[in-house]
Amino acid sequence: MSSEELILNVEKALDEIRPFLQSDGGDINLLSIDDGKLVKVQLVGACTSCSVNQMTLKSGVEMTIKKYAPQIERVINVE
């Protein structure tokens, strides 16, 4: 998968997640994909102060991104 395809697939995954985050007053932005394995995102809005944002990141965001781009190993939130 080319880097352009990887970015498109990660964006597709984020588009799948976005409605759930937006319904709670938050959102997510893709910052970068490092070495084709590490996705850096930024949770914004209500997601920044949500007490379960790390669980959302791991169980929701990371799992969905891996569905679209299996080579991704980790997803981290950059504040």
Side-chain angles (χ1 to χ4, degrees), residues 1-73:
M1 183 180 306
S2 72
S3 60
E4 292 83 17
E5 290 171 318
L6 182 58
I7 292 168
L8 283 173
N9 282 351
V10 171
E11 285 289 359
K12 283 181 199 172
L14 295 181
D15 286 343
E16 185 177 312
I17 297 160
R18 238 178 221 112
F20 301 103
L21 299 176
Q22 290 171 343
S23 70
D24 287 333
D27 207 343
I28 190 166
N29 298 317
L30 175 62
L31 299 178
S32 67
I33 302 173
D34 298 346
D35 300 323
K37 298 176 186 174
L38 174 67
V39 174
K40 292 181 181 175
V41 296
Q42 183 178 42
L43 292 168
V44 295
C47 291
T48 58
S49 60
C50 178
S51 62
V52 294
N53 69 7
Q54 287 306 309
M55 188 173 69
T56 298
L57 192 65
K58 288 292 174 199
S59 64
V61 177
E62 189 171 280
M63 187 177 70
T64 304
I65 287 175
K66 286 179 176 181
K67 182 172 73 175
Y68 283 86
Q71 70 269 42
I72 296 300
E73 294 175 1

